[in-house]
């Protein structure tokens, strides 16, 4: 739920290095799950990410946060190559194409190709690519949750 993130308020509240460590620790936790699944099933696994930009406005764009995010993405690409299968960007405001033009050169070509900025039919794409049984109802799936966003 990136559209509801207060990046400008978050950035002065902590050090970038703390944000990097948190994301790396979270990514390593995901990698442990993936490694266990790979051992159990004898085949490679990966993950898909949904970036929901619902509610995002230009006023929320913070350049220091944007720089922090691009640095973090670059680091994670190097540490965990080929783990991300797809990144779906949904509920995109019109200015996202400009932002994508700024961010995408910082990403490896292989990663750029994994990013799919979806239009108004995004729920259909998510169901087809991820599966409705995995998706919470907010994102077009059938998975039940106590809150609108599941455990996010």
């Amino acid at each position: 739920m990136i559209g509801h993130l207060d990046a400008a308020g978050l950035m002065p509240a902590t050090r970038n290095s703390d944000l990097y460590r948190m994301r790396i620790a979270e990514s390593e936790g995901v990698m442990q799950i993936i490694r266990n699944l790979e051992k159990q099933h004898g085949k490679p696994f990966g993950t898909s990410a949904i970036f929901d930009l619902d509610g995002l406005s230009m006023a929320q764009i913070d350049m220091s946060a944007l720089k922090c995010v691009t640095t973090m993405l670059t680091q994670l690409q190097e540490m965990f190559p080929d783990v991300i299968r797809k990144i779906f960007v949904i509920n995109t405001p019109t200015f996202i194409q400009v932002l994508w033009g700024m961010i995408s050169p910082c990403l490896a070509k292989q990663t750029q190709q994994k990013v799919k900025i979806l239009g108004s039919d995004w729920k259909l794409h998510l169901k087809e690519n991820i599966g409705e049984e995995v998706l919470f109802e907010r994102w077009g799936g059938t998975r039940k949750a106590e809150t609108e966003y599941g455990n996010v």
Side-chain angles (χ1 to χ4, degrees), residues 51-147:
F51 290 176
D52 189 342
L53 305 184
D54 183 39
L56 184 68
S57 70
M58 274 300 287
Q60 291 172 272
I61 304 301
D62 180 81
M63 292 313 287
S64 63
L66 196 56
K67 182 174 177 5
C68 179
V69 167
T70 56
T71 300
M72 197 179 313
L73 288 173
T74 302
Q75 289 176 340
L76 291 172
Q77 281 180 119
E78 292 173 9
M79 296 174 73
F80 306 104
D82 296 327
V83 172
I84 293 282
R85 299 293 186 246
K86 294 262 190 232
I87 297 172
F88 299 101
V89 185
I90 61 172
N91 293 318
T92 54
T94 54
F95 65 86
I96 287 303
Q97 290 301 333
V98 174
L99 266 181
W100 176 243
M102 293 168 52
I103 294 172
S104 62
C106 301
L107 303 173
K109 272 284 192 234
Q110 189 177 21
T111 301
Q112 289 178 36
Q113 294 169 348
K114 294 176 183 180
V115 175
K116 303 293 181 208
I117 299 175
L118 302 177
S120 60
D121 60 346
W122 58 267
K123 285 185 179 181
L124 177 64
H125 285 277
L126 294 180
K127 285 181 192 179
E128 289 174 356
N129 289 280
I130 296 176
E132 66 180 16
E133 69 284 353
V134 176
L135 293 166
F136 289 112
E137 291 174 312
R138 167 154 179 100
W139 291 291
T142 57
R143 189 171 177 189
K144 302 286 185 202
E146 292 179 21
T147 68

Side-chain angles (χ1 to χ4, degrees), residues 13-84:
T14 189
R15 295 182 308 223
N16 288 2
S17 59
D18 290 336
L19 293 172
Y20 298 150
R21 278 196 297 271
M22 184 244 352
R23 180 56 58 197
I24 290 167
E26 181 182 63
S27 297
E28 185 55 44
V30 170
M31 282 305 302
Q32 288 178 9
I33 293 168
I34 290 172
R35 288 180 194 122
N36 287 338
L37 286 169
E38 289 175 340
K39 284 179 187 174
Q40 288 174 9
H41 297 276
K43 64 180 184 177
F45 277 78
T47 187
S48 294
I50 302 168
F51 290 176
D52 189 342
L53 305 184
D54 183 39
L56 184 68
S57 70
M58 274 300 287
Q60 291 172 272
I61 304 301
D62 180 81
M63 292 313 287
S64 63
L66 196 56
K67 182 174 177 5
C68 179
V69 167
T70 56
T71 300
M72 197 179 313
L73 288 173
T74 302
Q75 289 176 340
L76 291 172
Q77 281 180 119
E78 292 173 9
M79 296 174 73
F80 306 104
D82 296 327
V83 172
I84 293 282

